[in-house]
Amino acid sequence: MGVSSAYGIKKQLYKEDKQYSRCADWLNNSSRFFNHKEEGEPVVREYVVDDIDRRLNAEFSFKMLLCHPLWQLIDNAQPSKQSINKVLVNLPANYVSLLFKEDAYGNFVRRKTISSKTGYKLMDRTDIHALTCCIAFCVEPKDSTEPQKTVLDIPQLLALQYLLKIGLTTPLASIIVEFYNYLNQQFGYLYANQLMPLEHYVHVFHMPDGSLRYLPMRLISAEPLGIEPVLSLYQELCRRATQLKLVPDTKEGQLCFYNFIRHTEIQKLIDSLFLADNHPTSLKELKRRISILGNINSSLISQKQ
């Protein structure tokens, strides 16, 4: 709406004749709703949000966004399995059916495992519901009897990639950096004492000009990297993909390519897009080349050993 504050949003919602029919300070004194929400207070008067939806008449529901379980999830700095299940069960029915099953008494019980098919269903989306699931999987307390991870934390990596994708293709773009920083400030302590190899936090790669870059491999970390350079990298890779006509220069094409990106393959992806003698002609061909490069690198490593 071209404004930078909650007050500005409210001001834009009212017609000019209504603005000027009151004193100059009327807008700021008539309702403290936006001011309180901006300071993090919960929504109490839902009729105010209903009125905003009526005035906006937009494609999305402001009420559904502002009152979404996501905020309940990330505002709880001491998450438990019970609190997370309470959030997830309030998602739309199709998401609940993916995550829960009914017991003999009709109660919702979390599924112990999520099938790869279900995982793909979540990761292919671009909505706030799937984002809520991704974050929940990252902050959910782990069973103390589980062995400590010495390999990549896949839920963390997938959640990061999902956030980057929707941060570039949806209205979340306006808050993605602040949102990422808040998640790490809120939950970074959960991983402060977790010992993992450095490459499971940070991936080092080279750009086509030879410069060294760093890629985060987790959504939440005790010492997170900034994601601004990663957003720029995604956009640069996507521009190259559209230039080579691997995907159409449309929102759908961008989504298709961002779903294609895997952080563990980022160096092979860059080399295939920018440094290859003959460029791939489709995403299928690009995936084949990345796989071949991966096999060659694995063979070289084995020979050195």
Side-chain angles (χ1 to χ4, degrees), residues 96-146:
V96 174
S97 65
L98 290 175
L99 301 173
F100 295 86
K101 60 182 179 179
E102 286 190 38
D103 63 15
Y105 303 99
N107 300 312
F108 284 119
V109 180
R110 272 283 292 279
R111 299 182 187 276
K112 291 184 178 180
T113 58
I114 296 179
S115 67
S116 57
K117 184 177 180 181
T118 298
Y120 282 123
K121 281 183 179 180
L122 291 176
M123 295 310 298
D124 282 344
R125 313 265 180 138
T126 55
D127 58 46
I128 194 174
H129 316 310
L131 176 62
T132 304
C133 295
C134 289
I135 296 173
F137 299 155
C138 292
V139 302
E140 192 167 32
K142 304 299 185 290
D143 191 336
S144 58
T145 61
E146 291 182 7

Side-chain angles (χ1 to χ4, degrees), residues 64-95:
M64 289 296 294
L65 178 62
L66 197 61
C67 304
H68 195 275
L70 170 67
W71 313 117
Q72 179 187 357
L73 172 69
I74 67 174
D75 282 344
N76 183 356
Q78 301 286 337
S80 65
K81 288 185 179 291
Q82 292 75 20
S83 69
I84 289 174
N85 284 340
K86 183 178 178 181
V87 167
L88 295 178
V89 82
N90 284 317
L91 292 175
N94 56 326
Y95 281 86

Side-chain angles (χ1 to χ4, degrees), residues 134-165:
C134 289
I135 296 173
F137 299 155
C138 292
V139 302
E140 192 167 32
K142 304 299 185 290
D143 191 336
S144 58
T145 61
E146 291 182 7
Q148 193 171 34
K149 289 181 180 293
T150 57
V151 295
L152 289 176
D153 191 331
I154 299 302
Q156 285 273 355
L157 181 56
L158 294 178
L160 173 65
Q161 292 175 173
Y162 187 88
L163 180 68
L164 291 166
K165 175 182 69 175

Side-chain angles (χ1 to χ4, degrees), residues 173-240:
S174 61
I175 62 166
I176 181 173
V177 174
E178 292 84 355
F179 186 84
Y180 171 81
N181 291 338
Y182 178 75
L183 286 179
N184 280 278
Q185 291 168 8
Q186 188 82 328
F187 300 112
Y189 78 94
L190 296 174
Y191 302 96
N193 299 317
Q194 190 177 75
L195 298 177
M196 293 176 69
L198 181 63
E199 60 268 24
H200 295 162
Y201 285 95
V202 181
H203 184 70
V204 182
F205 65 98
H206 291 87
M207 290 296 289
D209 61 3
S211 61
L212 202 63
R213 300 285 182 86
Y214 302 91
L215 190 68
M217 298 295 281
R218 302 170 61 87
L219 175 66
I220 301 169
S221 175
E223 297 181 3
L225 292 178
I227 61 167
E228 295 93 328
V230 191
L231 294 168
S232 299
L233 170 67
Y234 265 52
Q235 291 174 315
E236 187 171 349
L237 293 174
C238 190
R239 281 194 295 269
R240 182 60 173 167

Side-chain angles (χ1 to χ4, degrees), residues 251-267:
K251 182 179 179 180
E252 290 72 22
Q254 292 174 9
L255 286 173
C256 181
F257 184 74
Y258 292 147
N259 277 328
F260 179 87
I261 295 177
R262 297 291 180 269
H263 285 195
T264 53
E265 301 173 341
I266 202 70
Q267 188 66 68

